[in-house]
mmCIF file of all heavy atoms in Angstrom:
data_model
loop_
_atom_site.group_PDB
_atom_site.id
_atom_site.type_symbol
_atom_site.label_atom_id
_atom_site.label_comp_id
_atom_site.label_asym_id
_atom_site.label_seq_id
_atom_site.Cartn_x
_atom_site.Cartn_y
_atom_site.Cartn_z
ATOM 1 N N ALA A 435 38.363 194.070 94.533
ATOM 2 C CA ALA A 435 39.290 193.045 94.030
ATOM 3 C C ALA A 435 38.562 191.713 93.838
ATOM 4 O O ALA A 435 38.769 191.023 92.821
ATOM 5 C CB ALA A 435 40.468 192.884 94.987
ATOM 6 N N VAL A 436 37.701 191.363 94.792
ATOM 7 C CA VAL A 436 36.951 190.101 94.667
ATOM 8 C C VAL A 436 36.067 190.153 93.422
ATOM 9 O O VAL A 436 35.982 189.181 92.659
ATOM 10 C CB VAL A 436 36.116 189.845 95.943
ATOM 11 C CG1 VAL A 436 35.097 188.725 95.722
ATOM 12 C CG2 VAL A 436 37.038 189.502 97.120
ATOM 13 N N GLU A 437 35.437 191.305 93.199
ATOM 14 C CA GLU A 437 34.584 191.426 91.999
ATOM 15 C C GLU A 437 35.415 191.300 90.724
ATOM 16 O O GLU A 437 34.922 190.856 89.692
ATOM 17 C CB GLU A 437 33.812 192.756 92.024
ATOM 18 C CG GLU A 437 32.659 192.683 93.033
ATOM 19 C CD GLU A 437 32.045 194.047 93.356
ATOM 20 O OE1 GLU A 437 32.617 195.080 92.925
ATOM 21 O OE2 GLU A 437 31.028 194.055 94.077
ATOM 22 N N GLY A 438 36.686 191.664 90.818
ATOM 23 C CA GLY A 438 37.584 191.501 89.672
ATOM 24 C C GLY A 438 38.190 190.110 89.577
ATOM 25 O O GLY A 438 39.073 189.872 88.748
ATOM 26 N N GLY A 439 37.763 189.192 90.456
ATOM 27 C CA GLY A 439 38.218 187.802 90.335
ATOM 28 C C GLY A 439 39.284 187.386 91.334
ATOM 29 O O GLY A 439 39.895 186.320 91.172
ATOM 30 N N ALA A 440 39.525 188.198 92.378
ATOM 31 C CA ALA A 440 40.549 187.827 93.360
ATOM 32 C C ALA A 440 39.988 186.862 94.400
ATOM 33 O O ALA A 440 38.796 186.860 94.686
ATOM 34 C CB ALA A 440 41.078 189.074 94.069
ATOM 35 N N HIS A 441 40.886 186.060 94.970
ATOM 36 C CA HIS A 441 40.561 185.176 96.090
ATOM 37 C C HIS A 441 41.163 185.758 97.359
ATOM 38 O O HIS A 441 42.114 186.550 97.307
ATOM 39 C CB HIS A 441 41.138 183.783 95.857
ATOM 40 C CG HIS A 441 40.676 183.149 94.595
ATOM 41 N ND1 HIS A 441 39.355 182.887 94.343
ATOM 42 C CD2 HIS A 441 41.356 182.738 93.499
ATOM 43 C CE1 HIS A 441 39.234 182.326 93.156
ATOM 44 N NE2 HIS A 441 40.434 182.243 92.611
ATOM 45 N N LEU A 442 40.648 185.315 98.496
ATOM 46 C CA LEU A 442 41.091 185.853 99.783
ATOM 47 C C LEU A 442 41.597 184.747 100.705
ATOM 48 O O LEU A 442 40.985 183.687 100.810
ATOM 49 C CB LEU A 442 39.937 186.572 100.484
ATOM 50 C CG LEU A 442 39.207 187.648 99.684
ATOM 51 C CD1 LEU A 442 38.048 188.205 100.505
ATOM 52 C CD2 LEU A 442 40.174 188.763 99.284
ATOM 53 N N ILE A 443 42.697 185.062 101.388
ATOM 54 C CA ILE A 443 43.169 184.237 102.498
ATOM 55 C C ILE A 443 43.058 185.111 103.744
ATOM 56 O O ILE A 443 43.508 186.259 103.737
ATOM 57 C CB ILE A 443 44.646 183.835 102.313
ATOM 58 C CG1 ILE A 443 44.840 183.042 101.024
ATOM 59 C CG2 ILE A 443 45.144 183.032 103.505
ATOM 60 C CD1 ILE A 443 46.304 182.889 100.657
ATOM 61 N N LEU A 444 42.480 184.564 104.798
ATOM 62 C CA LEU A 444 42.271 185.349 106.022
ATOM 63 C C LEU A 444 43.438 185.157 106.990
ATOM 64 O O LEU A 444 43.713 184.030 107.424
ATOM 65 C CB LEU A 444 40.965 184.924 106.702
ATOM 66 C CG LEU A 444 39.711 184.952 105.823
ATOM 67 C CD1 LEU A 444 38.483 184.558 106.654
ATOM 68 C CD2 LEU A 444 39.511 186.323 105.187
ATOM 69 N N SER A 445 44.101 186.262 107.312
ATOM 70 C CA SER A 445 45.208 186.242 108.279
ATOM 71 C C SER A 445 45.107 187.452 109.202
ATOM 72 O O SER A 445 46.080 188.209 109.349
ATOM 73 C CB SER A 445 46.561 186.293 107.553
ATOM 74 O OG SER A 445 46.731 185.208 106.693
ATOM 75 N N PRO A 446 43.957 187.698 109.819
ATOM 76 C CA PRO A 446 43.805 188.928 110.588
ATOM 77 C C PRO A 446 44.809 189.009 111.747
ATOM 78 O O PRO A 446 44.886 188.108 112.577
ATOM 79 C CB PRO A 446 42.362 188.854 111.099
ATOM 80 C CG PRO A 446 41.989 187.408 111.035
ATOM 81 C CD PRO A 446 42.761 186.835 109.884
ATOM 82 N N ALA A 447 45.549 190.132 111.761
ATOM 83 C CA ALA A 447 46.621 190.287 112.754
ATOM 84 C C ALA A 447 46.077 190.264 114.176
ATOM 85 O O ALA A 447 46.757 189.810 115.093
ATOM 86 C CB ALA A 447 47.365 191.597 112.498
ATOM 87 N N ASP A 448 44.836 190.754 114.351
ATOM 88 C CA ASP A 448 44.294 190.825 115.712
ATOM 89 C C ASP A 448 43.629 189.518 116.146
ATOM 90 O O ASP A 448 42.981 189.477 117.194
ATOM 91 C CB ASP A 448 43.314 191.991 115.841
ATOM 92 C CG ASP A 448 42.163 191.909 114.852
ATOM 93 O OD1 ASP A 448 42.229 191.086 113.916
ATOM 94 O OD2 ASP A 448 41.194 192.668 115.016
#
Side-chain angles (χ1 to χ4, degrees):
V436 167
E437 285 167 351
H441 303 299
L442 307 177
I443 300 168
L444 306 182
S445 300
D448 57 348

